[in-house]
Amino acid sequence: MSGEILDNRGRGSAGWSWPSIHPEGRKFGLIAAALCAGAAFMAWETIAWPLAFLTLGVLAFFRDPVRVTPRDDRFVVSPADGLITLIQKVPPPRELCAEDGSGVRGMSPEPVTRVSIFMSVFDVHINRTPIAGTIRRVVYIPGKFLNAGLDKASEENERQHFLVERGDGVQIGFTQIAGLVARRIVPFVKGGDIVAVGQRVGLIRFGSRVDVYLPAGTEPKVLMGQRCVAGETILAEIGEAPMIEGIGQ
């Protein structure tokens, strides 16, 4: 019907559309395309065809599709596309727990459930916040580039921690971890920013992993080997935070 709304945002009928390319990747796509065009102009077909596939691959890597995020404060949504490779009880990273001099309350150092999501080079690499709230910390840690599937990658690889807090005091930490191929972690937000659930917060170039630290007592609703969709898959369901002095009063 003429004038019908098709926006994939809860109005009208859902319809497929080509995903946009994130601005962070457009320059790489243009460079690859320019090299391909130059090789084609010189009639270097053996080089031009691989460069053409490289251009498509770069554009596909930086694709930024629209996502329909569940609008329920109880839900913790996946911050990344990919495969769930680890579900463990571990203490949160010390960077999210220790006093950093800002006066912002960090996470408790007691063990919580960590859900690890591995992103291959074929997955979307735009990462999103698992809950709505205020970004309390963004901490970048330089490090190695080990295989992101290894458990020790959480402690040794280059990584970036986020701590987001709901209005009732519930906190969730999540970490972008670089891998064998990934060489740069790009944040889109900073401490103090207010974000909506599923909002884009950063990306990791060329394959890696995201760890999510669920609130104490929260059990995941996903399984090892399950595939997740950033901003859509529900990792867990949380209730109201316990009353903390100065919070939720």
Side-chain angles (χ1 to χ4, degrees):
M1 178 183 293
S2 178
E4 184 178 3
I5 297 173
L6 298 172
D7 64 0
N8 289 340
R9 291 177 174 83
R11 300 181 298 171
S13 301
W16 187 88
S17 61
W18 284 100
S20 62
I21 306 301
H22 192 273
E24 184 69 24
R26 292 172 188 169
K27 56 187 175 183
F28 295 103
L30 287 173
I31 291 172
L35 292 173
C36 177
F41 179 78
M42 298 298 293
W44 297 340
E45 293 186 4
T46 55
I47 299 176
W49 280 111
L51 285 174
F53 286 112
L54 175 63
T55 301
L56 293 176
V58 168
L59 295 177
F61 178 86
F62 285 103
R63 67 194 185 279
D64 185 13
V66 171
R67 295 288 163 80
V68 181
T69 302
R71 298 295 179 183
D72 192 316
D73 289 342
R74 297 172 301 168
F75 296 152
V76 178
V77 301
S78 176
D81 284 25
L83 187 72
I84 295 178
T85 55
L86 292 170
I87 299 177
Q88 299 173 311
K89 290 278 189 180
V90 297
R94 57 184 177 274
E95 293 85 3
L96 296 180
C97 301
E99 172 60 47
D100 62 358
S102 67
V104 174
R105 178 178 62 94
M107 298 182 71
S108 168
E110 297 301 318
V112 296
T113 299
R114 181 184 70 193
V115 179
S116 299
I117 304 165
F118 178 77
M119 299 179 292
S120 75
V121 294
F122 301 105
D123 289 311
V124 173
H125 280 66
I126 304 293
N127 299 142
R128 298 167 181 262
T129 177
I131 60 172
T134 302
I135 301 292
R136 295 301 188 189
R137 294 184 186 180
V138 179
V139 185
Y140 170 78
I141 308 294
K144 300 177 182 179
F145 296 94
L146 303 174
N147 184 338
L150 300 175
D151 184 39
K152 63 181 179 179
S154 295
E155 295 293 332
E156 298 187 20
N157 278 24
E158 177 176 324
R159 57 202 181 275
Q160 184 160 250
H161 302 294
F162 293 87
L163 180 63
V164 59
E165 183 177 305
R166 289 195 326 193
D168 61 358
V170 169
Q171 293 180 324
I172 285 186
F174 58 104
T175 303
Q176 296 173 301
I177 304 172
L180 282 171
V181 182
R183 295 297 169 179
R184 190 180 177 200
I185 300 174
V186 184
F188 303 159
V189 296
K190 61 184 183 304
D193 286 352
I194 297 175
V195 293
V197 60
Q199 181 173 327
R200 299 164 180 82
V201 295
L203 67 82
I204 315 173
R205 288 183 187 165
F206 308 117
S208 200
R209 169 176 146 192
V210 174
D211 288 347
V212 185
Y213 296 87
L214 300 176
T218 304
E219 295 299 322
K221 291 186 174 295
V222 289
L223 301 172
M224 293 274 289
Q226 180 176 336
R227 289 199 60 82
C228 293
V229 177
E232 294 190 355
T233 300
I234 297 172
L235 295 184
E237 184 176 329
I238 54 180
E240 295 182 354
M243 295 299 289
I244 300 173
E245 185 177 355
I247 298 177
Q249 301 294 326

